[in-house]
Amino acid sequence: MLTILFDGVAYGMVLFVLACGLSVTLGLMNFVNLAHGAFAMAGGYVAVTLVNRHDAPFLLTLPLAFLVPAAIGLVLERTLYRHLYTRSHLDQVLFSIGLVFMSVAAVDYVMGSQQQIIRLPGWLQGRIDIAGVGVGRYRAFVILICAALAVTLQVVLARTRFGAQLRAAVDDARVARGLGVEVSRIFALTFAVGSGLAGLGGALGAEILGLDPHFPLKFMIYFLIVVTVGGVSSITGPFLAALLLGIADVAGKYYVPGAGGFVIYTVMIALLILRPHGLFARAR
Amino acid sequence: MTDALATIGLVRRFGGLVATNDVTFALARGARHALIGPNGAGKTTFVNLLTGVLAPTAGRILLAGEDVTGLPQDARVRRGLSRTFQINQLFPDLTPLETIGLAVSERLGHGGDVWRVVGTRDAVLEEIVSIASRFGLIDALETRVGGLPYGKQRQLEIAVAFATRPRVLLLDEPAAGVPERERRALIETIAALPRDVSVLLIEHDMDIVFSFAERISVLVDGALFAEGAPDEIARDARVKAVYLGGATHG
Amino acid sequence: MSPDVEAVAGARRWLAGRARWRWWEIAFWLAAAASFVLLPSRHLILAEIAILGLFALSLDLLLGYVGIVSLGHAAFFGVGAYAAGLMAKHVGGEPLLGFAVAVFAAATVGLATSFLVLRGADLTRLMVTLGVAMLLGEAANQWSSLTGGADGLQGMTVAPLLGLFEFDLFGRTAYGYALVVLFLCFLIARRIVNSPYGLSLRAIRDNPLRAAALGIAVDRRIVGVYTLAAAMAGAAGALLAQTTAFVSLDVFDFNRSADVLLVLVIGGAGYLYGGLIGAVFFKIAADLLSAQTPQYWHFWIGLILVVLVLAGRDRLGERLSALARRARLTGGAP
């Protein structure tokens, strides 16, 4: 039982890292980027390719799994996305679906449609015993990394100048500009970091979530749920939402294999109707 | 005789902010009543409560004695409560013909017809034309609303509200943004509204308020601050203080 | 006050002019009818086009006329497909009966879920509609004793249409059937959008707050048109099930919802023909592209979407409708 809980926590942690970038772009910048999963997929494929084909050490690939999608994100933001911030949500949806279709087909073409299995180093394989509970080493590793990331993000957003500027830019871009905040630079940087985190999540999650060219479509709804349920007022909301979703999904698949999807989708719809700003959002 | 429109202890809170604070207000039948107040006094919230855009936190709203507090907007319109908007809220891609037609069809109960082509009911067409000529829109009937001059659009705002045959008409800053040369026509239009329509005018422009209103209410910080005939209000030192104080804060 | 007789007549003429059939509309449907006679070897793909066109037409009623964005319109397509499939498998008999049941089932689901899209901004609606489609897809997947789950619904026997026309391998009956249904649905949709009801939908699309202030019961109108759109999407699903004698889980796919949105956007929303023209373009493009690069043709569809949005979907539409207005002005002069 505790093992399932543990697996669920690891799953949820990965979901959080995957989705937190989206919670900023969608939640704060109000941009519907359904292609968020494509950046995650990019990170996953970077890691898998380096480890499996070039024998790179797993740990070394993680920074690259962050940097490559971040760079792609930055370029796309500067060239394409930024033209669409003021457009209707429908336009944003169409545009990002277009990107998803392109990325799915391109990855399929280059890498093939099969599921990618990442070769983990020996020290991350197998299980260890913590207080009598069998725990996957890799999952423990993932939890540690993701927890560290979550704390870092919280600190960056709450304590640093960058965080303050981002919050100001999101709150009222015009006023922020008047105060000398370079709004477009902040947005670009945020978008890049969000994409990078998604990539990192994709790399860490390759083992847990699976990785194939349909990744962006398969997990789109999960990211959206994390953001919707978590709300956008802080990092804590999406974090708790991701944990809940992870545990519910893993436990659901284990105990009631029939009902898992129902519960999750129903909860999402109900929340959207009853609490459009998210479960953990404070009423403004 | 029951008042055309009345509120009893109306309250609306947004979180900790009290936008409407225990307002008990009456609009007499056939009234020419103005509601004034400094910026942020809660005039727009009050209108939104009256028309059903917002639900009150507490209190009741009576339309000709009938409690309409829980009714949605469209039901209040059908009972004779209509409004214009401060900023034009029109359909830029439709024509005045269609816009007025919507209101007339709705009132005559034909708005939900799914199987009849638009423009095949003479009663509706005749009424559209008669309203359009009353508001000086007869030549603009077939022009896209988005392409009309601003003053004409303001006229259409009022014409559309009038087309619902209101017993009570709320005019929310009807002259806002209208250029000087089109203003005169607009003021005349308002003055010429039939006497069986009770009018509540929300306005910033004191010239219009004092030329139109027979009674004035002052709203400050969400609460009714003063009420009386125009000369009483004009003499009221407290009102003056509020206005001057409000003005310096912008 | 006696109304100005001439002005009344003018208004009547102008409104009647808006609803009149234009020459290109007649040409469009004549061409469709001609394709049935002249292109017998293409009946299979033409049937697919007609079905997709009907599906996109149903979405146009939502997006183009009342301004509701949906990422889960496949929900109703899927319900219609499974209802028709189950009818064919367990009840058998006349396809028209199965069709009617499918339309009714989709309309019921549409009515039941319409209340979820009344409130909220575009984003909420996008996610709610997406969630409903995922939920129904999951239901079809789990309830495999009825639906066949991931293997699809097998063993459908579709009786000859009206007892006369056998569904043949070349799609002759399929196309004829689909085209007639499409045309009838189009006539219904056209009649409705030209009615006072249809006018009120456009008012709601442009400004729901103002529409309510005119006395329009906005919620009731949305529920009504959502149900109608669901019924038509269900009709398209039923046609697919009956003409292919097979239903699989992909009827609920996100891809299907996204594709139909794309089809409508390519053709342009808000004038009923957009979905039909988009469907022709989409299917032909898909046919050509997948002949070139099978499996990867969605790449090009994605590229089209990206370019279309960046180039300004709205501006494109505005330019076209400005052209149409000019044509109407010059053509409509007495």
Side-chain angles (χ1 to χ4, degrees), chain C residues 4-17:
Chain C
D4 183 341
V5 179
E6 206 158 297
V8 170
R12 186 186 298 119
R13 250 199 323 275
W14 190 85
L15 289 170

Side-chain angles (χ1 to χ4, degrees), chain A residues 7-20:
Chain A
D7 282 0
V9 171
Y11 185 36
M13 289 278 200
V14 172
L15 276 181
F16 167 72
V17 173
L18 279 165
C20 64

Side-chain angles (χ1 to χ4, degrees), chain C residues 27-317:
Chain C
F28 180 93
W29 289 106
L30 284 178
S35 70
F36 180 74
V37 183
L38 299 178
L39 297 171
S41 62
R42 295 267 183 271
H43 277 164
L44 281 174
I45 190 172
L46 284 168
E48 285 178 32
I49 291 175
I51 292 167
L52 182 60
L54 177 58
F55 189 26
L57 172 70
S58 74
L59 184 63
D60 198 9
L61 288 174
L62 291 187
L63 182 66
Y65 284 89
V66 79
I68 291 182
V69 286
S70 169
L71 260 187
H73 205 47
F76 312 116
F77 187 90
V79 168
Y82 270 103
L86 289 170
M87 280 293 289
K89 186 175 175 181
H90 297 295
V91 183
E94 177 56 46
L96 287 183
L97 178 68
F99 179 82
V101 170
V103 169
F104 181 76
T108 309
V109 176
L111 180 67
T113 55
S114 64
F115 299 93
L116 302 174
V117 300
L118 291 179
R119 299 279 160 269
D122 284 358
L123 182 57
T124 314
R125 284 173 170 164
L126 281 172
M127 295 193 47
V128 167
T129 50
L130 176 65
V132 169
M134 302 288 281
L135 197 63
L136 288 171
E138 185 67 23
N141 184 25
Q142 294 297 340
W143 201 357
S144 53
S145 57
L146 187 68
T147 63
D151 297 331
L153 185 67
Q154 282 160 0
M156 279 173 66
T157 42
V158 187
L161 190 61
L162 298 167
L164 294 174
F165 305 104
E166 191 96 38
F167 284 95
D168 52 303
L169 279 176
F170 313 102
R172 185 182 163 80
T173 307
Y175 183 44
Y177 179 34
L179 192 58
V180 169
V181 170
L182 170 65
F183 185 60
L184 292 177
C185 285
F186 177 84
L187 288 180
I188 293 171
R190 194 180 187 284
R191 180 92 192 189
I192 288 174
V193 301
N194 281 314
S195 71
Y197 183 90
L199 185 60
S200 72
L201 294 183
R202 285 197 283 152
I204 292 168
R205 175 194 68 193
D206 288 353
N207 191 339
L209 181 69
R210 183 42 144 165
L214 290 183
I216 296 170
V218 174
D219 287 0
R220 290 230 309 266
R221 298 286 153 84
I222 291 180
V223 167
V225 75
Y226 199 81
T227 305
L228 176 71
M232 282 197 185
L239 286 179
L240 182 76
Q242 293 179 337
T243 56
T244 59
F246 181 68
V247 186
S248 68
L249 286 176
D250 69 15
V251 289
F252 286 111
D253 251 5
F254 171 76
N255 279 26
R256 192 176 292 275
S257 295
D259 281 350
V260 72
L261 195 57
L262 166 65
V263 163
L264 181 59
V265 164
I266 289 177
Y271 69 107
L272 294 185
Y273 285 90
L276 311 186
I277 294 167
V280 174
F281 179 85
F282 185 86
K283 276 289 175 194
I284 291 176
D287 211 34
L288 292 177
L289 292 173
S290 57
Q292 297 287 319
T293 48
Q295 193 180 351
Y296 310 120
W297 67 279
H298 254 103
F299 179 86
W300 304 107
I301 294 295
L303 187 63
I304 293 171
L305 261 182
V306 167
V307 171
L308 201 66
V309 172
L310 285 175
R313 190 172 58 79
D314 292 343
R315 268 174 288 157
L316 218 67

Side-chain angles (χ1 to χ4, degrees), chain A residues 140-169:
Chain A
F141 167 76
V142 163
I143 291 177
L144 287 178
I145 297 237
C146 294
L149 274 171
V151 171
T152 315
L153 275 176
Q154 175 65 25
V155 169
V156 167
L157 280 177
R159 300 278 165 79
T160 64
R161 199 174 135 73
F162 177 80
Q165 286 184 332
L166 174 63
R167 276 178 286 129

Side-chain angles (χ1 to χ4, degrees), chain B residues 184-226:
Chain B
R184 169 107 268 131
L186 194 77
I187 293 170
E188 277 165 15
T189 305
I190 296 171
L193 286 170
R195 206 62 210 200
D196 58 353
V197 179
S198 317
V199 181
L200 179 63
L201 173 78
I202 293 96
E203 186 52 79
H204 264 309
D205 186 323
M206 288 303 144
D207 290 342
I208 297 181
V209 168
F210 281 94
S211 72
F212 170 84
E214 291 156 3
R215 199 164 178 81
I216 296 177
S217 296
V218 186
L219 202 64
V220 176
D221 291 337
L224 266 190
F225 181 75

